[in-house]
mmCIF file of all heavy atoms in Angstrom:
data_model
loop_
_atom_site.group_PDB
_atom_site.id
_atom_site.type_symbol
_atom_site.label_atom_id
_atom_site.label_comp_id
_atom_site.label_asym_id
_atom_site.label_seq_id
_atom_site.Cartn_x
_atom_site.Cartn_y
_atom_site.Cartn_z
ATOM 1 N N ILE A 291 -2.347 -5.352 -18.239
ATOM 2 C CA ILE A 291 -1.166 -5.279 -17.377
ATOM 3 C C ILE A 291 0.041 -4.794 -18.188
ATOM 4 O O ILE A 291 0.825 -3.966 -17.711
ATOM 5 C CB ILE A 291 -0.927 -6.632 -16.683
ATOM 6 C CG1 ILE A 291 -2.049 -6.816 -15.640
ATOM 7 C CG2 ILE A 291 0.453 -6.694 -16.027
ATOM 8 C CD1 ILE A 291 -2.033 -8.104 -14.886
ATOM 9 N N ARG A 295 2.309 -1.482 -17.527
ATOM 10 C CA ARG A 295 3.778 -1.561 -17.441
ATOM 11 C C ARG A 295 4.442 -0.562 -18.374
ATOM 12 O O ARG A 295 5.295 0.205 -17.967
ATOM 13 C CB ARG A 295 4.223 -2.966 -17.855
ATOM 14 C CG ARG A 295 4.162 -3.982 -16.758
ATOM 15 C CD ARG A 295 5.479 -4.771 -16.730
ATOM 16 N NE ARG A 295 5.444 -5.776 -15.678
ATOM 17 C CZ ARG A 295 4.978 -7.015 -15.866
ATOM 18 N NH1 ARG A 295 4.538 -7.384 -17.059
ATOM 19 N NH2 ARG A 295 4.972 -7.865 -14.882
ATOM 20 N N ALA A 313 -11.777 -12.011 -9.346
ATOM 21 C CA ALA A 313 -10.654 -12.183 -8.419
ATOM 22 C C ALA A 313 -9.332 -12.465 -9.148
ATOM 23 O O ALA A 313 -8.294 -11.914 -8.751
ATOM 24 C CB ALA A 313 -10.981 -13.278 -7.411
ATOM 25 N N PRO A 314 -9.335 -13.284 -10.230
ATOM 26 C CA PRO A 314 -8.057 -13.535 -10.912
ATOM 27 C C PRO A 314 -7.415 -12.255 -11.469
ATOM 28 O O PRO A 314 -6.196 -12.161 -11.562
ATOM 29 C CB PRO A 314 -8.444 -14.484 -12.056
ATOM 30 C CG PRO A 314 -9.709 -15.138 -11.596
ATOM 31 C CD PRO A 314 -10.424 -14.114 -10.779
ATOM 32 N N PHE A 315 -8.248 -11.279 -11.833
ATOM 33 C CA PHE A 315 -7.689 -10.015 -12.326
ATOM 34 C C PHE A 315 -6.993 -9.260 -11.181
ATOM 35 O O PHE A 315 -5.852 -8.822 -11.312
ATOM 36 C CB PHE A 315 -8.790 -9.143 -12.945
ATOM 37 C CG PHE A 315 -8.292 -7.814 -13.476
ATOM 38 C CD1 PHE A 315 -7.239 -7.766 -14.395
ATOM 39 C CD2 PHE A 315 -8.866 -6.616 -13.065
ATOM 40 C CE1 PHE A 315 -6.772 -6.545 -14.892
ATOM 41 C CE2 PHE A 315 -8.409 -5.395 -13.559
ATOM 42 C CZ PHE A 315 -7.362 -5.368 -14.474
ATOM 43 N N ALA A 316 -7.677 -9.149 -10.053
ATOM 44 C CA ALA A 316 -7.087 -8.468 -8.896
ATOM 45 C C ALA A 316 -5.765 -9.147 -8.524
ATOM 46 O O ALA A 316 -4.764 -8.492 -8.219
ATOM 47 C CB ALA A 316 -8.056 -8.497 -7.722
ATOM 48 N N GLU A 317 -5.774 -10.468 -8.599
ATOM 49 C CA GLU A 317 -4.574 -11.242 -8.262
ATOM 50 C C GLU A 317 -3.447 -10.976 -9.266
ATOM 51 O O GLU A 317 -2.297 -10.741 -8.874
ATOM 52 C CB GLU A 317 -4.922 -12.726 -8.308
ATOM 53 C CG GLU A 317 -4.343 -13.518 -7.158
ATOM 54 C CD GLU A 317 -5.270 -14.663 -6.821
ATOM 55 O OE1 GLU A 317 -5.404 -15.570 -7.666
ATOM 56 O OE2 GLU A 317 -5.878 -14.632 -5.736
ATOM 57 N N ALA A 318 -3.801 -10.989 -10.549
ATOM 58 C CA ALA A 318 -2.790 -10.772 -11.592
ATOM 59 C C ALA A 318 -2.171 -9.380 -11.475
ATOM 60 O O ALA A 318 -0.961 -9.205 -11.679
ATOM 61 C CB ALA A 318 -3.417 -10.960 -12.974
ATOM 62 N N VAL A 319 -3.003 -8.403 -11.135
ATOM 63 C CA VAL A 319 -2.511 -7.025 -10.984
ATOM 64 C C VAL A 319 -1.492 -6.979 -9.842
ATOM 65 O O VAL A 319 -0.397 -6.429 -9.976
ATOM 66 C CB VAL A 319 -3.691 -6.051 -10.718
ATOM 67 C CG1 VAL A 319 -3.187 -4.669 -10.323
ATOM 68 C CG2 VAL A 319 -4.584 -5.955 -11.947
ATOM 69 N N THR A 320 -1.848 -7.595 -8.732
ATOM 70 C CA THR A 320 -0.961 -7.612 -7.567
ATOM 71 C C THR A 320 0.330 -8.377 -7.879
ATOM 72 O O THR A 320 1.419 -7.928 -7.534
ATOM 73 C CB THR A 320 -1.691 -8.254 -6.361
ATOM 74 O OG1 THR A 320 -3.001 -7.688 -6.305
ATOM 75 C CG2 THR A 320 -0.988 -7.977 -5.063
ATOM 76 N N GLN A 321 0.165 -9.522 -8.550
ATOM 77 C CA GLN A 321 1.341 -10.331 -8.932
ATOM 78 C C GLN A 321 2.314 -9.548 -9.799
ATOM 79 O O GLN A 321 3.514 -9.760 -9.746
ATOM 80 C CB GLN A 321 0.887 -11.559 -9.728
ATOM 81 C CG GLN A 321 0.064 -12.546 -8.952
ATOM 82 C CD GLN A 321 0.920 -13.536 -8.199
ATOM 83 O OE1 GLN A 321 1.827 -14.109 -8.780
ATOM 84 N NE2 GLN A 321 0.662 -13.699 -6.912
ATOM 85 N N ALA A 322 1.762 -8.640 -10.604
ATOM 86 C CA ALA A 322 2.603 -7.842 -11.505
ATOM 87 C C ALA A 322 3.281 -6.689 -10.767
ATOM 88 O O ALA A 322 3.946 -5.856 -11.382
ATOM 89 C CB ALA A 322 1.755 -7.319 -12.662
ATOM 90 N N GLY A 323 3.071 -6.642 -9.451
ATOM 91 C CA GLY A 323 3.712 -5.591 -8.661
ATOM 92 C C GLY A 323 2.961 -4.267 -8.695
ATOM 93 O O GLY A 323 3.492 -3.220 -8.329
ATOM 94 N N LEU A 324 1.699 -4.326 -9.131
ATOM 95 C CA LEU A 324 0.876 -3.106 -9.207
ATOM 96 C C LEU A 324 -0.172 -3.130 -8.097
ATOM 97 O O LEU A 324 -0.486 -4.193 -7.557
ATOM 98 C CB LEU A 324 0.163 -3.050 -10.565
ATOM 99 C CG LEU A 324 1.050 -3.089 -11.813
ATOM 100 C CD1 LEU A 324 0.220 -3.428 -13.036
ATOM 101 C CD2 LEU A 324 1.751 -1.752 -11.988
ATOM 102 N N THR A 325 -0.721 -1.949 -7.791
ATOM 103 C CA THR A 325 -1.787 -1.880 -6.793
ATOM 104 C C THR A 325 -3.134 -1.998 -7.480
ATOM 105 O O THR A 325 -3.395 -1.293 -8.457
ATOM 106 C CB THR A 325 -1.728 -0.533 -6.036
ATOM 107 O OG1 THR A 325 -0.442 -0.431 -5.411
ATOM 108 C CG2 THR A 325 -2.810 -0.443 -4.982
ATOM 109 N N PHE A 326 -3.981 -2.873 -6.988
ATOM 110 C CA PHE A 326 -5.354 -2.995 -7.491
ATOM 111 C C PHE A 326 -6.221 -2.044 -6.673
ATOM 112 O O PHE A 326 -6.279 -2.160 -5.442
ATOM 113 C CB PHE A 326 -5.833 -4.438 -7.333
ATOM 114 C CG PHE A 326 -7.239 -4.672 -7.824
ATOM 115 C CD1 PHE A 326 -7.520 -4.670 -9.190
ATOM 116 C CD2 PHE A 326 -8.277 -4.900 -6.928
ATOM 117 C CE1 PHE A 326 -8.811 -4.886 -9.648
ATOM 118 C CE2 PHE A 326 -9.572 -5.121 -7.385
ATOM 119 C CZ PHE A 326 -9.841 -5.111 -8.759
ATOM 120 N N ALA A 331 -8.336 -9.760 -3.395
ATOM 121 C CA ALA A 331 -8.930 -10.799 -4.255
ATOM 122 C C ALA A 331 -9.751 -11.791 -3.425
ATOM 123 O O ALA A 331 -10.786 -12.291 -3.885
ATOM 124 C CB ALA A 331 -7.833 -11.529 -5.027
#
Side-chain angles (χ1 to χ4, degrees):
I291 289 178
R295 276 228 180 89
F315 180 54
E317 223 149 67
V319 170
T320 315
Q321 294 274 311
L324 303 164
T325 301
F326 180 72

